[in-house]
PDB file of all heavy atoms in Angstrom:
ATOM      1  N   ILE V  84     -21.399 -87.076 -27.838  1.00 90.00           N
ATOM      2  CA  ILE V  84     -21.206 -85.779 -27.243  1.00 90.00           C
ATOM      3  C   ILE V  84     -20.620 -84.799 -28.241  1.00 90.00           C
ATOM      4  O   ILE V  84     -21.005 -83.635 -28.284  1.00 90.00           O
ATOM      5  CB  ILE V  84     -20.297 -85.878 -25.962  1.00 90.00           C
ATOM      6  CG1 ILE V  84     -21.112 -86.488 -24.844  1.00 90.00           C
ATOM      7  CG2 ILE V  84     -19.765 -84.519 -25.517  1.00 90.00           C
ATOM      8  CD1 ILE V  84     -20.305 -86.748 -23.580  1.00 90.00           C
ATOM      9  N   TYR V  85     -19.691 -85.264 -29.067  1.00 94.00           N
ATOM     10  CA  TYR V  85     -19.142 -84.417 -30.133  1.00 94.00           C
ATOM     11  C   TYR V  85     -20.243 -83.901 -31.048  1.00 94.00           C
ATOM     12  O   TYR V  85     -20.348 -82.713 -31.372  1.00 94.00           O
ATOM     13  CB  TYR V  85     -18.075 -85.169 -30.919  1.00 94.00           C
ATOM     14  CG  TYR V  85     -17.527 -84.399 -32.124  1.00 94.00           C
ATOM     15  CD1 TYR V  85     -16.618 -83.369 -31.902  1.00 94.00           C
ATOM     16  CD2 TYR V  85     -17.943 -84.693 -33.416  1.00 94.00           C
ATOM     17  CE1 TYR V  85     -16.124 -82.639 -32.996  1.00 94.00           C
ATOM     18  CE2 TYR V  85     -17.462 -83.976 -34.475  1.00 94.00           C
ATOM     19  CZ  TYR V  85     -16.556 -82.957 -34.246  1.00 94.00           C
ATOM     20  OH  TYR V  85     -16.063 -82.246 -35.325  1.00 94.00           O
ATOM     21  N   GLN V  86     -21.110 -84.804 -31.519  1.00 94.00           N
ATOM     22  CA  GLN V  86     -22.210 -84.433 -32.422  1.00 94.00           C
ATOM     23  C   GLN V  86     -23.194 -83.501 -31.703  1.00 94.00           C
ATOM     24  O   GLN V  86     -23.714 -82.533 -32.274  1.00 94.00           O
ATOM     25  CB  GLN V  86     -22.898 -85.668 -32.965  1.00 94.00           C
ATOM     26  CG  GLN V  86     -22.064 -86.484 -33.889  1.00 94.00           C
ATOM     27  CD  GLN V  86     -22.691 -87.794 -34.270  1.00 94.00           C
ATOM     28  OE1 GLN V  86     -23.615 -88.279 -33.612  1.00 94.00           O
ATOM     29  NE2 GLN V  86     -22.136 -88.446 -35.301  1.00 94.00           N
ATOM     30  N   LEU V  87     -23.471 -83.834 -30.440  1.00 93.00           N
ATOM     31  CA  LEU V  87     -24.390 -82.974 -29.648  1.00 93.00           C
ATOM     32  C   LEU V  87     -23.843 -81.565 -29.528  1.00 93.00           C
ATOM     33  O   LEU V  87     -24.583 -80.595 -29.649  1.00 93.00           O
ATOM     34  CB  LEU V  87     -24.604 -83.604 -28.272  1.00 93.00           C
ATOM     35  CG  LEU V  87     -25.503 -82.822 -27.317  1.00 93.00           C
ATOM     36  CD1 LEU V  87     -26.922 -82.754 -27.840  1.00 93.00           C
ATOM     37  CD2 LEU V  87     -25.487 -83.449 -25.960  1.00 93.00           C
ATOM     38  N   ARG V  88     -22.558 -81.453 -29.256  1.00 94.00           N
ATOM     39  CA  ARG V  88     -21.948 -80.140 -29.097  1.00 94.00           C
ATOM     40  C   ARG V  88     -21.953 -79.363 -30.398  1.00 94.00           C
ATOM     41  O   ARG V  88     -22.172 -78.129 -30.385  1.00 94.00           O
ATOM     42  CB  ARG V  88     -20.561 -80.252 -28.512  1.00 94.00           C
ATOM     43  CG  ARG V  88     -20.596 -80.523 -27.026  1.00 94.00           C
ATOM     44  CD  ARG V  88     -19.242 -80.446 -26.391  1.00 94.00           C
ATOM     45  NE  ARG V  88     -19.367 -80.432 -24.928  1.00 94.00           N
ATOM     46  CZ  ARG V  88     -18.522 -80.968 -24.132  1.00 94.00           C
ATOM     47  NH1 ARG V  88     -17.383 -81.538 -24.587  1.00 94.00           N
ATOM     48  NH2 ARG V  88     -18.726 -80.916 -22.820  1.00 94.00           N
ATOM     49  N   LEU V  89     -21.781 -80.054 -31.533  1.00 96.00           N
ATOM     50  CA  LEU V  89     -21.875 -79.348 -32.815  1.00 96.00           C
ATOM     51  C   LEU V  89     -23.297 -78.823 -32.974  1.00 96.00           C
ATOM     52  O   LEU V  89     -23.492 -77.670 -33.450  1.00 96.00           O
ATOM     53  CB  LEU V  89     -21.542 -80.311 -33.970  1.00 96.00           C
ATOM     54  CG  LEU V  89     -20.083 -80.662 -34.181  1.00 96.00           C
ATOM     55  CD1 LEU V  89     -19.931 -81.695 -35.292  1.00 96.00           C
ATOM     56  CD2 LEU V  89     -19.280 -79.417 -34.530  1.00 96.00           C
ATOM     57  N   PHE V  90     -24.292 -79.636 -32.705  1.00 96.00           N
ATOM     58  CA  PHE V  90     -25.684 -79.213 -32.903  1.00 96.00           C
ATOM     59  C   PHE V  90     -26.030 -78.091 -31.924  1.00 96.00           C
ATOM     60  O   PHE V  90     -26.744 -77.121 -32.288  1.00 96.00           O
ATOM     61  CB  PHE V  90     -26.589 -80.426 -32.662  1.00 96.00           C
ATOM     62  CG  PHE V  90     -28.072 -80.127 -32.904  1.00 96.00           C
ATOM     63  CD1 PHE V  90     -28.498 -79.714 -34.170  1.00 96.00           C
ATOM     64  CD2 PHE V  90     -28.991 -80.234 -31.935  1.00 96.00           C
ATOM     65  CE1 PHE V  90     -29.807 -79.438 -34.424  1.00 96.00           C
ATOM     66  CE2 PHE V  90     -30.322 -79.959 -32.162  1.00 96.00           C
ATOM     67  CZ  PHE V  90     -30.729 -79.554 -33.385  1.00 96.00           C
ATOM     68  N   GLU V  91     -25.574 -78.169 -30.699  1.00 96.00           N
ATOM     69  CA  GLU V  91     -25.811 -77.125 -29.724  1.00 96.00           C
ATOM     70  C   GLU V  91     -25.156 -75.807 -30.117  1.00 96.00           C
ATOM     71  O   GLU V  91     -25.720 -74.737 -29.896  1.00 96.00           O
ATOM     72  CB  GLU V  91     -25.347 -77.533 -28.294  1.00 96.00           C
ATOM     73  CG  GLU V  91     -26.169 -78.629 -27.680  1.00 96.00           C
ATOM     74  CD  GLU V  91     -27.600 -78.237 -27.404  1.00 96.00           C
ATOM     75  OE1 GLU V  91     -27.866 -77.082 -27.064  1.00 96.00           O
ATOM     76  OE2 GLU V  91     -28.476 -79.104 -27.549  1.00 96.00           O
ATOM     77  N   ARG V  92     -23.994 -75.877 -30.730  1.00 97.00           N
ATOM     78  CA  ARG V  92     -23.351 -74.637 -31.243  1.00 97.00           C
ATOM     79  C   ARG V  92     -24.205 -74.007 -32.337  1.00 97.00           C
ATOM     80  O   ARG V  92     -24.337 -72.794 -32.430  1.00 97.00           O
ATOM     81  CB  ARG V  92     -21.937 -74.912 -31.722  1.00 97.00           C
ATOM     82  CG  ARG V  92     -20.951 -75.058 -30.610  1.00 97.00           C
ATOM     83  CD  ARG V  92     -19.531 -75.129 -31.155  1.00 97.00           C
ATOM     84  NE  ARG V  92     -18.884 -76.227 -30.439  1.00 97.00           N
ATOM     85  CZ  ARG V  92     -18.014 -77.043 -30.962  1.00 97.00           C
ATOM     86  NH1 ARG V  92     -17.640 -76.929 -32.205  1.00 97.00           N
ATOM     87  NH2 ARG V  92     -17.481 -77.993 -30.234  1.00 97.00           N
ATOM     88  N   PHE V  93     -24.751 -74.852 -33.195  1.00 98.00           N
ATOM     89  CA  PHE V  93     -25.692 -74.366 -34.267  1.00 98.00           C
ATOM     90  C   PHE V  93     -26.886 -73.687 -33.628  1.00 98.00           C
ATOM     91  O   PHE V  93     -27.254 -72.578 -34.044  1.00 98.00           O
ATOM     92  CB  PHE V  93     -26.085 -75.533 -35.154  1.00 98.00           C
ATOM     93  CG  PHE V  93     -27.276 -75.156 -36.039  1.00 98.00           C
ATOM     94  CD1 PHE V  93     -27.092 -74.316 -37.147  1.00 98.00           C
ATOM     95  CD2 PHE V  93     -28.549 -75.684 -35.768  1.00 98.00           C
ATOM     96  CE1 PHE V  93     -28.185 -73.998 -37.916  1.00 98.00           C
ATOM     97  CE2 PHE V  93     -29.599 -75.356 -36.571  1.00 98.00           C
ATOM     98  CZ  PHE V  93     -29.439 -74.496 -37.648  1.00 98.00           C
ATOM     99  N   LEU V  94     -27.496 -74.362 -32.660  1.00 97.00           N
ATOM    100  CA  LEU V  94     -28.684 -73.763 -31.989  1.00 97.00           C
ATOM    101  C   LEU V  94     -28.315 -72.475 -31.252  1.00 97.00           C
ATOM    102  O   LEU V  94     -29.121 -71.506 -31.240  1.00 97.00           O
ATOM    103  CB  LEU V  94     -29.303 -74.766 -31.038  1.00 97.00           C
ATOM    104  CG  LEU V  94     -29.948 -76.001 -31.672  1.00 97.00           C
ATOM    105  CD1 LEU V  94     -30.446 -76.941 -30.561  1.00 97.00           C
ATOM    106  CD2 LEU V  94     -31.050 -75.613 -32.599  1.00 97.00           C
ATOM    107  N   LEU V  95     -27.133 -72.436 -30.648  1.00 98.00           N
ATOM    108  CA  LEU V  95     -26.663 -71.224 -29.975  1.00 98.00           C
ATOM    109  C   LEU V  95     -26.510 -70.064 -30.983  1.00 98.00           C
ATOM    110  O   LEU V  95     -26.985 -68.949 -30.729  1.00 98.00           O
ATOM    111  CB  LEU V  95     -25.356 -71.473 -29.260  1.00 98.00           C
ATOM    112  CG  LEU V  95     -24.687 -70.294 -28.539  1.00 98.00           C
ATOM    113  CD1 LEU V  95     -25.609 -69.736 -27.460  1.00 98.00           C
ATOM    114  CD2 LEU V  95     -23.351 -70.718 -27.954  1.00 98.00           C
ATOM    115  N   ALA V  96     -25.880 -70.403 -32.128  1.00 98.00           N
ATOM    116  CA  ALA V  96     -25.737 -69.350 -33.163  1.00 98.00           C
ATOM    117  C   ALA V  96     -27.109 -68.861 -33.656  1.00 98.00           C
ATOM    118  O   ALA V  96     -27.311 -67.661 -33.831  1.00 98.00           O
ATOM    119  CB  ALA V  96     -24.907 -69.910 -34.317  1.00 98.00           C
ATOM    120  N   TRP V  97     -28.027 -69.774 -33.841  1.00 97.00           N
ATOM    121  CA  TRP V  97     -29.366 -69.428 -34.289  1.00 97.00           C
ATOM    122  C   TRP V  97     -30.084 -68.526 -33.263  1.00 97.00           C
ATOM    123  O   TRP V  97     -30.724 -67.531 -33.587  1.00 97.00           O
ATOM    124  CB  TRP V  97     -30.188 -70.665 -34.562  1.00 97.00           C
ATOM    125  CG  TRP V  97     -31.466 -70.428 -35.264  1.00 97.00           C
ATOM    126  CD1 TRP V  97     -32.711 -70.670 -34.805  1.00 97.00           C
ATOM    127  CD2 TRP V  97     -31.667 -69.878 -36.585  1.00 97.00           C
ATOM    128  NE1 TRP V  97     -33.654 -70.323 -35.679  1.00 97.00           N
ATOM    129  CE2 TRP V  97     -33.060 -69.807 -36.807  1.00 97.00           C
ATOM    130  CE3 TRP V  97     -30.799 -69.429 -37.541  1.00 97.00           C
ATOM    131  CZ2 TRP V  97     -33.588 -69.294 -37.981  1.00 97.00           C
ATOM    132  CZ3 TRP V  97     -31.371 -68.919 -38.740  1.00 97.00           C
ATOM    133  CH2 TRP V  97     -32.746 -68.891 -38.921  1.00 97.00           C
TER     134      TRP V  97
END
Side-chain angles (χ1 to χ4, degrees):
I84 287 176
Y85 175 76
Q86 292 172 346
L87 177 66
R88 283 189 168 147
L89 285 176
F90 186 61
E91 290 296 323
R92 282 188 226 146
F93 166 73
L94 293 176
L95 177 60
W97 191 243

